[in-house]
Amino acid sequence: LAQVVGSFSFLASVPFSPSDAMADMLKLKSSQGDVFEVDQDTACQSALIKNMVEDSGTDEEIPLPNVKTPILAKVIDYCKHHKDSAAEEIQKPLKSANLEECGVSEWDCNFVRIEQEELFELILAANYLDIKSLLDLTCAKVASMIKGKTPEEIRKQFNIVNDFTPEEEAQVREENKWCEDA
């Protein structure tokens, strides 16, 4: 036993305090006042948070007034998943409406298989937090929802009111005919 204990004596020379374990933790505060403790490597996938930490340190809560609690929780899940394995680059333009055929992982495809309103809130959060890979993923999801659809189908999908007169619509179609030929 003395040999075993003695072999770990080098640890006695390493200073440690309970606050060291928490030193790498950040407190992120949603717009609704909920606070999430997140490790710094995970949170700093956001360029906004990384800049805030570099400018002000990690002692204070980081307010995120543009991100609601459930969206912040989802963003944190995404960042935790991609902390050690960066998201794959998404092929552009999308060759298919199926994101997996465009190089998106199964986990990421499942992550964005959500209600449209939540998807749009995630896009806004990814843009605000400056998380490029999440913004690319969520925008690719929207693009996949549009791919191969007619303007009428797209309007129906996104509840867009057609406020063009038939004459205006014909003019726009004529001016943009090259798009439909591509």
Side-chain angles (χ1 to χ4, degrees):
L1 182 63
Q3 282 181 327
V4 172
V5 171
S7 66
F8 291 103
S9 62
F10 70 92
L11 291 175
S13 65
V14 177
F16 178 79
S17 70
S19 64
D20 290 340
M22 299 304 283
D24 290 329
M25 298 301 282
L26 301 177
K27 292 181 180 179
L28 307 180
K29 187 174 184 178
S30 75
S31 64
Q32 296 165 305
D34 294 303
V35 177
F36 294 83
E37 284 199 24
V38 182
D39 72 89
Q40 189 168 332
D41 290 339
T42 297
C44 286
Q45 289 179 59
S46 159
L48 174 78
I49 292 171
K50 183 178 181 187
N51 291 336
M52 291 172 101
V53 167
E54 288 171 356
D55 292 345
S56 306
T58 61
D59 297 337
E60 305 279 322
E61 287 179 352
I62 298 174
L64 301 171
N66 296 354
V67 186
K68 294 178 184 172
T69 297
I71 298 301
L72 182 55
K74 194 142 177 82
V75 168
I76 291 168
D77 287 345
Y78 176 86
C79 290
K80 282 180 180 177
H81 179 79
H82 287 291
K83 181 174 117 178
D84 297 319
S85 61
E88 293 292 320
E89 189 71 26
I90 299 172
Q91 299 169 5
K92 297 171 195 135
L94 296 181
K95 66 179 182 180
S96 167
N98 180 342
L99 288 178
E100 284 190 67
E101 293 175 14
C102 301
V104 178
S105 73
E106 182 181 354
W107 190 93
D108 283 347
C109 286
N110 289 332
F111 182 82
V112 292
R113 198 169 286 130
I114 54 180
E115 293 295 320
Q116 200 169 282
E117 183 178 337
E118 185 178 14
L119 178 62
F120 291 140
E121 287 187 40
L122 261 180
I123 289 172
L124 294 173
N127 186 51
Y128 170 70
L129 294 169
D130 198 0
I131 305 172
K132 183 184 182 315
S133 61
L134 180 56
L135 184 59
D136 286 350
L137 174 63
T138 51
C139 288
K141 174 63 177 182
V142 172
S144 75
M145 295 164 70
I146 293 172
K147 188 156 185 72
K149 293 190 175 169
T150 66
E152 292 76 25
E153 290 171 326
I154 294 168
R155 284 188 197 106
K156 184 175 180 185
Q157 171 84 40
F158 297 105
N159 297 316
I160 299 170
V161 176
N162 182 2
D163 57 356
F164 286 118
T165 65
E167 295 79 22
E168 290 171 327
E169 189 166 343
Q171 180 183 354
V172 169
R173 284 185 190 275
E174 185 60 35
E175 290 172 356
N176 296 290
K177 189 172 178 108
W178 62 271
C179 287
E180 294 175 13
D181 297 337

